[in-house]
Amino acid sequence: MNTILAGSIALASIPVLADTQINNYTAFAGYTGIFNTPTAEVLKKGSIDIGYNNNLDLRGEGYVDGHNYIFAAGLFDGLEVSGQIAASSMHDNLFNAEIKAENQTRDLSFNLKYQLPFVPKEWFNLAVGGKDLGGAANNYETYYLAGSREWNDFRFSAGFAVSDRATGQMDGAFAGIEWQPLDWLAVQVEHDADAVNAGLRLTVPKAWIYDVGTLTLTSKFYSNTDHAEKDTFWGVNFSMPLFERATLNDPLEAAPAPTLDADAEREAAFKAHYEEQRRLARKPLPEAKKEVTERDEYKKSLTMQTRALKAALLEDGFESVSVGFNRDPHVVVSFENYVFNRNDIDAIGLVLGRIAEHVNEPNAQFTVQLLNRGIPMLALRGHINNYREFVNTGTTPDMDIRRGEMDPIGSVSWVGMPKANSAYFKPRLTVGPALDSRLATELGVYDFSLALKADVDVPMWYGGGINLSAETEVANTSDYDDGKAFGRLAKQSGLTQATIYQTFALPYGIYNQTHIGFFKEFNDYTGIKNETTWLSGNGRHQFSAELGYFEYDDYDLDKDYQTLSYRYNWVEQDVSFHATAGRFFYEDSGVKLETRFWFGDSYVSIFAQDTDVQIAGISFSIPLTPRKDMAPTRYGQIKGNEAWRHAASTRIGESTNAIAIGRGHLVNTPVNIDKTFLNQGRLSSSYVYSNLARLREVYLTYK
């Protein structure tokens, strides 16, 4: 240990001699590190790492052959969180008297590490962290400070930790060295405050797995600890970015779209045409009449351009499409989006790109109106030349973006019939999984009931329609069988919701929606759910009130709940903060807090709630549908779930970790204000301005 520490301190004081990128790895203990010790490195923002290893630390008393499952994510610049399941066996029932439960563990823990930002990178990296935070049974509770410094192909790390393990692991000073002579090979040695461990990391080239992510194989082949039943252990990890953020002025980007270059030539021709008109205006009346004739020809030309624009938008699959223009000239486009269901900003970007592609009048303006069930949701206004320059070069466009209905525009001539390709009376079928699961209980590492869920939404009139939901169970573990521990929680085949809904856009940025009908929440109910939401002009602040009243179909009883919510959207950092307080569905009262870290159309969140129990956990939401869904037909549309969410949680502040079921529960409807109408709270000017590159990228992708 003295040798490792002395070498680390000496080399940390030497100036960096080479700029070598050394890979970061997830330790067997669940954080970015070596085997048992952390480094000061963290996962990059927007990256996840899923891992497994058999180096089980049995309640801090010794190392045995077992199971460690790890999920880690880089949530913010410098912030890494992870969850870990440590289990001696996969399916042993620890309540069974024939099984020696005292020799087994099945533990769910939460880990956090933060790289301190105030230390200059050219010096070294410094991080603080904790393992097994907040749970009821903290078998692995550890707190540490770690520093790391890279030099050529080496990384040297050292730090100090505090823990209560009987083995002495991570209870005192620790240090480690990593040597990466090749991109795919790393040798690692550490002292974990108890013993010296050594091993190899082999990284599979990304090209071998289609550049999806990084696969790493680990072997710990040496340890001089006195607390292990064997010296060698192994592991495997897969890491990948959740999204690739579009950027402006990408030097690797291909040349501008040739279609828009040709349009620029046509624009120059029209400019020359107008100069000729001004010259003729100074001539006598007969020549002035000729000018009028030429203006008529111009009008025909703009009609042809807007007809081509409307045809292109209909070909893209947009609905309720209206295209018009006036003599200013000002082009107006109104449409509904059911094809880019993951994010409305993609639909807006493609529509704006189509306008720049097809309309070439000098000094022409545009106004784009996004509708949802006929309700005006967002309006954008700007100059077509300016936006065309943005598409060609990445120069920031000048646009006026506001929520709600566009400003009135006079003397608009509509091309063909307005609201072509009506969005009404077309069934929208959303297919996706419905999952109930339990992690790291005495009955098993993972128990689940998986169902296939189908939601059918039929927009029928302005702001309203009919929604039907049904599920059918497709797989489950034995503990979800009838009569077993989780049998009552298993997914049931049949109808789960059948409602009529109506949405109103009220003044001052207020939206109201009501669902009336059948709801299945363990039992069958008939009831009403109402939510009212106010969204600030720039979209940063959102207040919501939700009310529900439900009567049992089989009993003379009823349920009701009332909650108030607030959300702040920190769009510059893709982070949103949520708080909900009130009385929930199962009559527990209290508060729920959540922070969502957004990565494109996905997010990972950390949440906590205090009702009749205290719970903390981690959740994620991912789209289970392509970026662009199938275009709706006259018979309807089939798509995947654009925002499927799953969560894992544990009790905190108690000596035991009993399962808490249904705490802080609200009735969820597939059609709701936040997800369906407000684009998961992202339908705002501030969000569009923060994602201008995506507007351009979506057009260049789908043009």
Side-chain angles (χ1 to χ4, degrees):
M1 179 179 175
N2 291 335
T3 302
I4 294 176
L5 284 173
S8 300
I9 295 171
L11 286 168
S13 64
I14 299 175
V16 175
L17 300 181
D19 186 16
T20 303
Q21 182 64 45
I22 299 178
N23 297 333
N24 297 325
Y25 303 99
T26 300
F28 285 174
Y31 33 60
T32 301
I34 302 180
F35 298 107
N36 296 331
T37 63
T39 64
E41 311 303 324
V42 293
L43 284 175
K44 291 183 179 180
K45 177 181 177 180
S47 295
I48 62 170
D49 186 283
I50 303 170
Y52 170 84
N53 67 79
N54 69 337
N55 184 37
L56 178 64
D57 183 358
L58 185 60
R59 291 192 292 270
E61 300 170 356
Y63 310 104
V64 299
D65 193 353
H67 309 278
N68 287 317
Y69 298 91
I70 300 166
F71 175 84
L75 298 188
F76 200 71
D77 290 332
L79 177 63
E80 169 188 296
V81 300
S82 64
Q84 179 174 358
I85 298 175
S88 302
S89 62
M90 292 294 296
H91 304 295
D92 286 353
N93 185 340
L94 303 187
F95 292 120
N96 192 328
E98 298 178 359
I99 296 177
K100 296 181 179 179
E102 66 274 10
N103 294 327
Q104 290 205 33
T105 188
R106 197 169 287 146
D107 184 87
L108 177 63
S109 59
F110 176 75
N111 313 315
L112 183 147
K113 184 200 286 190
Y114 182 62
Q115 189 180 77
L116 301 178
F118 53 78
V119 179
K121 297 294 183 182
E122 61 272 16
W123 292 5
F124 55 85
N125 288 327
L126 190 66
V128 295
K131 178 176 171 62
D132 201 2
L133 303 175
N138 302 91
N139 295 317
Y140 306 105
E141 187 173 12
T142 305
Y143 301 95
Y144 58 84
L145 173 70
S148 295
R149 173 69 182 273
E150 294 183 8
W151 180 77
N152 282 352
D153 298 333
F154 293 86
R155 179 189 288 132
F156 302 90
S157 301
F160 190 83
V162 177
S163 75
D164 293 328
R165 291 183 178 87
T167 60
Q169 181 205 128
M170 291 295 289
D171 189 19
F174 62 87
I177 299 176
E178 300 170 83
W179 177 41
Q180 185 180 306
L182 301 169
D183 290 340
W184 53 271
L185 174 66
V187 181
Q188 298 178 312
V189 181
E190 69 176 6
H191 189 283
D192 62 10
D194 166 58
V196 174
N197 309 301
L200 291 174
R201 301 266 190 173
L202 301 177
T203 301
V204 177
K206 294 179 68 174
W208 291 10
I209 52 177
Y210 306 100
D211 291 322
V212 174
T214 301
L215 183 66
T216 303
L217 308 175
T218 305
S219 172
K220 188 175 84 170
F221 55 73
Y222 172 78
S223 178
N224 66 355
T225 182
D226 296 327
H227 305 283
E229 65 179 21
K230 64 178 185 177
D231 292 338
T232 60
F233 294 93
W234 62 272
V236 59
N237 289 79
F238 178 76
S239 61
M240 63 176 290
L242 282 176
F243 82 117
E244 297 290 341
R245 189 183 186 94
T247 58
L248 296 176
N249 301 314
D250 188 344
L252 300 180
E253 187 178 281
T259 303
L260 299 191
D261 288 342
D263 289 346
E265 296 176 2
R266 294 179 60 195
E267 180 182 325
F270 276 106
K271 183 177 181 180
H273 172 73
Y274 274 93
E275 290 177 354
E276 179 68 11
Q277 284 186 318
R278 286 193 294 269
R279 185 183 66 82
L280 294 173
R282 294 191 293 268
K283 294 190 175 183
L285 182 59
E287 294 182 359
K289 290 181 178 181
K290 182 180 178 181
E291 177 185 351
V292 173
T293 302
E294 290 179 350
R295 285 185 178 177
D296 290 340
E297 292 298 323
Y298 149 70
K299 181 176 180 181
K300 292 178 182 178
S301 175
L302 188 54
T303 300
M304 292 172 59
Q305 294 175 43
T306 51
R307 282 187 183 277
L309 169 61
K310 185 174 183 179
L313 297 178
L314 293 173
E315 181 67 22
D316 289 327
F318 296 119
E319 297 174 84
S320 299
V321 176
S322 301
V323 177
F325 64 93
N326 64 17
R327 298 180 65 89
D328 288 341
H330 196 134
V331 176
V332 181
V333 175
S334 175
F335 74 102
E336 292 203 32
N337 167 45
Y338 287 92
V339 288
F340 290 97
N341 293 291
R342 285 164 52 164
N343 198 328
D344 284 324
I345 196 174
D346 289 338
I348 294 169
L350 185 55
V351 170
L352 291 174
R354 293 290 187 220
I355 294 173
E357 175 185 339
H358 288 89
V359 180
N360 301 281
E361 301 304 321
N363 303 316
Q365 299 182 68
F366 68 82
T367 293
V368 171
Q369 176 73 74
L370 174 67
L371 305 173
N372 196 327
R373 275 75 172 173
I375 298 175
M377 300 303 302
L378 194 72
L380 301 90
R381 184 167 182 166
H383 287 81
I384 296 177
N385 291 350
N386 176 256
Y387 194 84
R388 183 183 295 110
E389 182 70 14
F390 165 64
V391 174
N392 278 329
T393 67
T395 304
T396 303
D398 183 16
M399 293 189 295
D400 176 36
I401 305 173
R402 62 186 64 185
R403 200 179 61 257
E405 190 172 6
M406 65 184 184
D407 290 335
I409 300 171
S411 303
V412 175
S413 298
W414 297 104
V415 178
M417 292 295 295
K419 299 188 181 301
N421 191 18
S422 174
Y424 295 135
F425 301 102
K426 294 179 181 177
R428 321 284 174 161
L429 173 62
T430 301
V431 180
L435 180 65
D436 191 276
S437 64
R438 295 292 175 266
L439 289 171
T441 70
E442 284 79 2
L443 303 179
V445 170
Y446 188 66
D447 284 295
F448 70 90
S449 173
L450 175 66
L452 182 65
K453 183 178 182 182
D455 300 313
V456 179
D457 171 33
V458 185
M460 301 283 285
W461 54 80
Y462 185 90
I466 297 174
N467 184 82
L468 302 173
S469 298
E471 295 177 352
T472 180
E473 189 180 45
V474 296
N476 67 279
T477 55
S478 59
D479 288 321
Y480 274 89
D481 290 340
D482 289 341
K484 295 297 185 68
F486 305 131
R488 186 169 179 268
L489 305 177
K491 295 295 181 180
Q492 303 294 320
S493 298
L495 190 68
T496 58
Q497 277 189 26
T499 67
I500 297 175
Y501 65 88
Q502 177 63 55
T503 310
F504 296 102
L506 305 176
Y508 308 110
I510 299 174
Y511 298 90
N512 181 273
Q513 184 180 89
T514 300
H515 283 260
I516 301 175
F518 167 79
F519 301 84
K520 187 176 184 63
E521 300 287 335
F522 289 107
N523 296 292
D524 295 345
Y525 298 89
T526 299
I528 181 171
K529 172 192 170 183
N530 178 270
E531 54 180 322
T532 302
T533 297
W534 173 81
L535 188 64
S536 65
N538 60 11
R540 293 186 182 274
H541 306 280
Q542 180 176 320
F543 289 91
S544 300
E546 187 168 324
L547 309 173
Y549 176 81
F550 307 90
E551 294 184 350
Y552 282 95
D553 287 356
D554 300 323
Y555 308 94
D556 187 18
L557 295 172
D558 59 63
K559 282 185 176 293
D560 64 272
Y561 69 83
Q562 311 87 32
T563 63
L564 291 173
S565 301
Y566 170 74
R567 186 225 64 194
Y568 177 78
N569 194 4
W570 188 10
V571 292
E572 293 82 2
Q573 297 296 333
D574 294 318
V575 179
S576 59
F577 304 91
H578 305 250
T580 300
R583 172 188 170 95
F584 299 98
F585 186 82
Y586 291 106
E587 301 180 0
D588 54 321
S589 300
V591 63
K592 297 166 59 176
L593 302 175
E594 182 177 9
T595 300
R596 296 178 181 176
F597 300 86
W598 288 87
F599 310 108
D601 299 324
S602 305
Y603 68 75
V604 178
S605 76
I606 301 172
F607 65 89
Q609 62 188 59
D610 184 5
T611 57
D612 52 357
V613 297
Q614 294 180 334
I615 295 173
I618 186 171
S619 71
F620 64 88
S621 173
I622 57 174
L624 299 179
T625 194
R627 184 177 183 183
K628 184 179 182 183
D629 286 315
M630 67 167 283
T633 69
R634 58 182 298 184
Y635 304 106
Q637 179 187 32
I638 301 176
K639 60 186 181 70
N641 191 331
E642 66 271 23
W644 184 73
R645 175 177 167 125
H646 189 57
S649 61
T650 183
R651 287 201 187 201
I652 58 176
E654 300 182 30
S655 59
T656 60
N657 192 15
I659 294 175
I661 300 172
R663 303 299 89 186
H665 178 70
L666 296 173
V667 174
N668 183 46
T669 53
V671 177
N672 57 67
I673 293 179
D674 186 69
K675 185 178 78 170
T676 308
F677 286 84
L678 297 182
N679 195 31
Q680 298 190 72
R682 300 173 295 175
L683 195 66
S684 64
S685 59
S686 59
Y687 180 78
V688 175
Y689 286 134
S690 296
N691 292 271
L692 289 173
R694 184 163 177 171
L695 290 177
R696 177 172 180 256
E697 180 268 339
V698 70
Y699 169 72
L700 296 177
T701 300
Y702 292 99
K703 63 182 183 179

